[in-house]
Amino acid sequence: MNTSAARRVLPGFPLALGYTLVYLSLIVLVPLSAVFLKSATQGWESFWAAISTPRVVASYQLTYGVSLLAAAINAVFGLIFAWVLVRYTFPGKRIVDALVDLPFALPTAVAGIALTAIYAGNGWLGQWLQPLGIKVAFTPLGILVALIFIGLPFVVRTVQPVLEDLSTELEEAAASLGADRWQTFYRVVLPPVLPALLTGFALAFARAVGEYGSVIFIAGNVPMVSEITPLLIITKLEQFDYPGATAIAAVMLVTSFILLFLINGLQAWANRSHGGG
Amino acid sequence: MPFSPRIVRALLAGAAAFMLGAAHADVTLLNVSYDVTRELYKDINPAFIDHWAKTTGERVAVEQSHGGSSKQAQSVANGLEADVVTMNQATDIDLLARGGLVPANWRKRLPHDSAPYTSTTIFLVRKGNPKQIRDWDDLVKPGIVVVVPNPKTSGNGRYTYLVAWGYAVKKGGDEAAARDFVTRLFRNVPVLDGGGRGATTTFTQRDLGDVLVTFENEAVLIQRELGSAGFEVVYPSISLQAEAPVAVVDTVVDKKGTRKQAQAYLEFLYSPAGQEIIARHFFRPRLDAVLRKHTRQFKPIPLFTVDEVFGSLDQAQKIHFADGGVFDQIVVNRP
Amino acid sequence: MGAAVATHWTVHSRRFEASAATREPAWVRGILIAIALAFFALFLLLPLVTVFAEALRKGWGVYFAALVDPDARSAIFLTLLVAAIAVPLNLVFGVSAAWAIAKFNFRGKQLLTTLIDLPFSVSPVVAGLIFVLLFGAQGWFGPWLIEHDVKIIFAVPGLVLATVFVTFPFVARELIPLMEAQGQEEEEAAIVLGASGWQTFWRVTLPNIKWGLLYGVILCNARAMGEFGAVSVVSGHIRGRTNTMPLYVEILYNEYNFAAAFAVASLLALLALLTLVVKSLVEWRGRQELSAGQES
């Protein structure tokens, strides 16, 4: 893949990039700059006070920790899910395929209420888990369940088209060279899918970090234990404290940006090593 | 192509019809209100429209906006063109006063500190009251599970906190005693739901807790929605009078030329007809005649006001619910 | 060439199940399907069933009454209107961003990709707040807007802006990994054979990215219709005028109208099933094209 040659051959680069940058600036960058400017209207001391109390720090740990875990679980199960949808036939497959998008269409609060109904101590599943000593609703585990729910479509839907696109020839070649199925998967199938999988992971993670509506119903919202950062932003807004709210939002924005940048770097690396190999 | 010309035309026609929807009346008022008043204003609005047509011959339409009270107030401060605001806490209108949308003396412009009705905080317990919960003292006993929404995000939760504090003070306690009382109360609260409705769901659908502390009018709605089979209402020995204030938004009505109608709309809430509708929706009316008619529904118990114990809701907000305030201290450091 | 392109994207799991080289042993297949279905049941099916169970708790009469209520109808219309504006905007952007990022190499590519992801990580309420900070009465452009009597927030343009923001990355992020995986040989060949840029895009690239594009649009649309937090901040909640379906669901829920709230929510859930219809339609047309290509 000689990209410098590609640049010469394929047209449309200036137009596509120019449009992308203008649209990105208008819709995302200019509005987001309001967060930083508003948070800067207060002095450094009150900014620092807003973002560094033990309670806020505990919420960062919870929000980012559970979001990473949820995205990792989604990456594993989402890959299996997409694999099964692309490669196997089984009854009801079309319905299963269609319902993958459900978490996006359902308003988040409805999702939160529905999940709480299922996992609460008297819920369909909760009543079986409770005797085992597993409490889901109103604990951090409940937050994990909600975040898995809202992030699942990202992984499935980014991996699915790439899996569908794979030709069978390489796998057949690997098999004829004596590789077993696991080796073929690991060496032949996974490398081209990995960048898409990482994208799905990044998106599921990003979405989980900012999620509020569904989590609030299932979390319990106990300070230091199950209180997520977006809730703290809301409580600041409730007191009409715009600078404080935007200060926490700015911290989240920068943190998320750095983490996403790292994941995207990993994705670019996976892409290159696959393309180079 | 995803958009055929026919679909686009249909959409445009629909959009046009939609924009013209409110254009029949001579004057359109926007009432920005809080949650749970939709049914109330569904009855108030036609009654007022009738009343106004009869007295002036003018046709007026009233649009409604409902949401969390503080959020709604912020929307108005940010430019939502409300002719009148009907909120559930005075601090939300104080916000508008700070922004210059209403004058600082807004409370004095209508009777009863501009609050045409009130409600009070009561208990909802499970059928037969198995834990024998009768009064505020019972809520702080070890082992009792209390469901209250988060005072940081919900007016309902704030009033619960304030009435518990006031109860301790009224019993002769000092500030330390009151603080100890609410600390013990919130130690019994395992879940801090975002709003009153979430707390209700936790108590009624999830079977969590022995007692739900909520507003009188909401307790009635709960029984109506879920049947009175599973729950019963308990009136404590004393509670708080929660006032629901209203105001004309001066900047908007002056711009739109709707002051006359907006003022009349709010005054209608104080009229016998308006108070009757209010009582039918389980809010406590101000007119004695109407209140007496409904005594079966509004059990008379001693009520104190926020101003009596805390000076004002604004001061209570600053001391108790601001970040790092008393409420934060007691919930963050709880064992 | 049409047939070659068509076979390239027409996917049937049979393609993989036909040969031993691309097939797992039956027990592995069984386990994987079982895991996927269990995950499906736990995280997708159960919530859906719950929504419908709650919606129908008071019977079909209440269910349909909730949907034909004038406030509900205007909320449904507004939701469709907002999505109809927001989704095409992000579709055009997504294709153009993916073309630039996947087909070319340039400095700052990783930075650009990350910036495109950013709206997802912004808490929805903050996403709404930024537009209030810009266009609200006390915002940067607020005084100018009031002077010229232009309404952005608490009106349809604000709803569209907030929706465009929260659904911003969908189409682009769906297409980028797919187009990167596909490389640019096919496009290069077309250009070398004398096709123009647009011809290459329409005849070569578009058929190749069809599924990815479809998923992107469907996800974008689902999220555009289901978004609550951001829209809630800029809406003003005026009944019959600026209430979208998710906002309407919240109001119904908050005023103890449980069954009606879930009825409207179930309508949104049904959108997910729309995916099934659209996908089947595209698949069906693809097969027709394929058979036409083979005959000629």
Side-chain angles (χ1 to χ4, degrees), chain C residues 145-293:
Chain C
L145 291 172
I146 291 169
E147 209 171 291
H148 294 79
D149 208 22
V150 182
K151 289 209 177 85
I152 294 197
I153 54 170
F154 311 125
V156 175
L159 297 173
V160 172
L161 268 179
T163 306
V164 168
F165 182 91
V166 291
T167 59
F168 185 84
F170 278 107
V171 178
R173 291 309 260 136
E174 190 65 44
L175 289 181
I176 292 167
L178 180 66
M179 282 165 76
E180 278 177 343
Q182 285 170 345
Q184 53 265 64
E185 286 90 350
E186 285 186 41
E187 279 90 354
E188 281 168 12
I191 297 282
V192 169
L193 289 173
S196 77
W198 281 116
Q199 281 174 323
T200 309
F201 177 77
W202 283 112
R203 302 256 177 90
V204 181
T205 311
L206 203 56
N208 276 338
I209 61 171
K210 206 164 189 167
W211 289 119
L213 195 64
L214 183 69
Y215 289 141
V217 168
I218 286 171
L219 291 182
C220 183
N221 183 57
R223 189 92 169 79
M225 292 189 175
E227 172 56 19
F228 170 75
V231 168
S232 153
V233 180
V234 296
S235 135
H237 303 276
I238 307 170
R239 254 167 210 281
R241 215 142 53 86
T242 62
N243 256 356
T244 62
M245 281 167 80
L247 301 180
Y248 187 60
V249 169
E250 193 218 16
I251 298 284
L252 287 174
Y253 176 79
N254 278 337
E255 56 200 20
Y256 297 85
N257 223 332
F258 218 70
F262 276 93
V264 178
S266 74
L267 209 57
L268 281 164
L270 284 178
L271 279 175
L273 292 177
L274 208 65
T275 313
L276 185 71
V277 179
V278 177
K279 238 185 121 178
S280 306
L281 208 69
V282 176
E283 236 168 343
W284 176 73
R285 286 192 44 185
R287 263 200 299 278
Q288 280 203 320
E289 269 173 45
L290 181 62
S291 57

Side-chain angles (χ1 to χ4, degrees), chain C residues 1 10 14 52 71 84 90 98 106 117 119 134 140 158 170 180 183 190 199 214-216 227 245 284 295:
Chain C
M1 188 175 144
T10 305
R14 283 181 206 96
F52 276 93
D71 284 347
N90 280 341
F106 55 94
D117 289 344
L134 287 183
W140 294 350
F170 278 107
E180 278 177 343
Q199 281 174 323
L214 183 69
Y215 289 141
E227 172 56 19
M245 281 167 80
W284 176 73
E295 274 160 29

